[in-house]
Structure formats: C-alpha cells, structure tokens
Amino acid sequence: MKMDKLYEQTMLYDFYGELLTEHQRQIYEDAVYNDLSLGEIAREQGISRQGVHDLVRRCDRILQGYEDKLHLVERFARAKGMVEEIRELAFGASDKAGMQADLAKIRELSGRLLEEL
C-alpha cells in the first residue's frame, strides 16, 4: 500500500512538480524522494514538524488537483500500457496466422496510441 502511494506521489510530482513553489518542491522532495523524516525536514527548514506534515499534504492535494484537471499521468499510463502490449506482440507469435493477428492488433494499438498523443 505504501509503495502504491509513493509511486503515485512520484508520478504526480514528475509531471506537475514544477508548478509548485521552490519552497514546496524542496520540502516535498525531501519527504518523498529523499525519505527524510518530518523532524529532519523541520530542523533543516526551521519550521515545525506539523508545518512540514501540512505542507506535504497540501502539495499532495495540489498535485492531485492538477491531475484531476489535466489527466497527464493517466494518459501516460495508458500510452505506456499500449507500448508494452505492442512490444509483447512484436515478440509473440511465430506462425503466419498468429503473425497476421498480431500485426492487426499492433495496427489497432498504434492507432489508439497516436490518438492518445
């Protein structure tokens, strides 16, 4: 469960982190990427542990708000899934009938991928 949350936080930050203030980015990176404790960040920044906690939660809400409006992470995940499926198909069937079916699926997936982009 914690890994899913961490993955979500890192993906949202990768896509929207530049929209945070420098102060927000610094604290969020320390908490999420550098895995520093709230106390360590608080001492480093000269603020309370509660202030760090509140800021990280606020950043989570801000980043999720951007995703709710723009859906860039969602679109990226769909595109990545299609590319993975195309890759699997490219290394798949060895008989002629299977190849034809795989090629048709690759055409369909690549068309969907182009629409996505």
Side-chain angles (χ1 to χ4, degrees), residues 13 17-31 45 55-56 58-59 62-63 66:
Y13 185 80
E18 289 299 315
L19 300 173
L20 298 174
T21 67
E22 178 62 33
H23 180 69
Q24 289 170 328
R25 281 195 308 268
Q26 187 175 27
I27 290 177
Y28 199 78
E29 284 179 11
D30 281 346
Q45 296 293 323
L55 192 125
V56 170
R58 188 175 326 119
C59 288
I62 290 168
L63 296 172
Y66 289 134

Side-chain angles (χ1 to χ4, degrees), residues 2-13:
K2 183 170 171 55
M3 187 54 106
D4 290 339
K5 174 72 173 167
L6 182 60
Y7 179 76
E8 180 182 352
Q9 286 176 308
T10 58
M11 288 299 291
L12 290 172
Y13 185 80

Side-chain angles (χ1 to χ4, degrees), residues 72-109:
L72 296 178
V73 174
E74 178 185 325
R75 290 176 59 204
F76 173 79
R78 277 197 310 266
K80 183 179 177 191
M82 285 184 252
V83 169
E84 287 170 351
E85 194 172 346
I86 289 169
R87 180 179 166 82
E88 287 175 19
L89 289 167
F91 291 105
S94 59
D95 65 349
K96 189 166 182 142
M99 285 182 171
Q100 291 302 322
D102 286 351
L103 284 173
K105 184 68 175 173
I106 287 171
R107 281 189 211 89
E108 186 242 322
L109 286 169

